[in-house]
Amino acid sequence: MISVQQEDFQVQALYERLLKSNQTGAVAMFVGLVRQFADLPKDACTFELEHYPGMTEHNLQSIVDEANTRWPLLDVCVVHRVGRLSVDDQIVFVGVSASHRAEAFQACDFIMDYLKSRAAFWKKETQGEQSQWVSAKEDDALSLARWSDSQV
């Protein structure tokens, strides 16, 4: 399941969705939240996510397809929110079910690393009266590079 949506998501419902196979031995999940990124009151900081409909979902499906070629996964669920979000709001859910924990952990980590670098999302932080688009970080590129060298 891949979803790009404005509305919030329920982690428990997404977790239960990953349990549909009798072969499930492990579920790994990641939930990303909006953190406070300035020394201002929480309500003075917002985070806005834009995307290119159709292209973003295609990017996410390609990432999930690649994870499925690297590990024997039973199911994958990716939900990413767009629109204006506030501090402590949920942004992204990545969940993976597999027969064994190693595959579930590695695939979940891989999907998040690729999602941060390859999915078509644009992020803008607003701090009080000032806004700025967020550039890619060097750490994101380093996280992505480790997968090209990994032997799975």
Side-chain angles (χ1 to χ4, degrees):
M1 170 193 163
I2 292 173
S3 179
V4 178
Q5 60 192 47
Q6 287 193 351
E7 59 275 354
D8 199 5
F9 52 84
Q10 297 299 316
V11 173
Q12 182 66 31
L14 295 171
Y15 167 72
E16 289 172 6
R17 183 182 176 95
L18 292 166
L19 298 177
K20 63 184 178 185
S21 171
N22 289 339
Q23 297 302 311
T24 300
V27 174
M29 299 181 300
F30 173 83
V31 178
L33 307 170
V34 177
R35 67 179 175 272
Q36 193 159 354
F37 46 85
D39 280 339
L40 295 171
K42 280 183 171 184
D43 60 352
C45 299
T46 60
F47 192 73
E48 191 167 346
L49 286 142
E50 294 184 6
H51 76 298
Y52 191 108
M55 175 190 257
T56 305
E57 292 85 352
H58 177 75
N59 292 151
L60 293 173
Q61 186 62 58
S62 294
I63 294 165
V64 169
D65 290 347
E66 176 65 23
N68 275 303
T69 65
R70 291 175 177 242
W71 297 279
L73 306 178
L74 299 172
D75 203 2
V76 176
C77 181
V78 177
V79 178
H80 205 297
R81 293 181 66 195
V82 293
R84 186 176 299 266
L85 302 171
S86 300
V87 174
D88 297 332
D89 284 349
Q90 299 180 132
I91 303 171
V92 62
F93 174 91
V94 173
V96 176
S97 63
S99 294
H100 304 284
R101 66 180 163 80
E103 291 93 359
F105 277 130
Q106 290 172 353
C108 189
D109 196 21
F110 170 88
I111 291 168
M112 267 312 303
D113 282 347
Y114 268 72
L115 186 153
K116 290 222 16 147
S117 299
R118 299 280 170 90
F121 291 103
W122 294 271
K123 302 163 191 129
K124 181 169 64 171
E125 292 177 353
T126 300
Q127 304 171 22
E129 299 297 318
Q130 298 182 340
S131 294
Q132 70 177 11
W133 291 99
V134 178
S135 300
K137 295 180 173 77
E138 186 177 329
D139 287 351
D140 293 337
L142 292 172
S143 293
L144 193 64
R146 71 190 172 109
W147 295 107
S148 62
D149 298 332
S150 68
Q151 300 296 320
V152 183

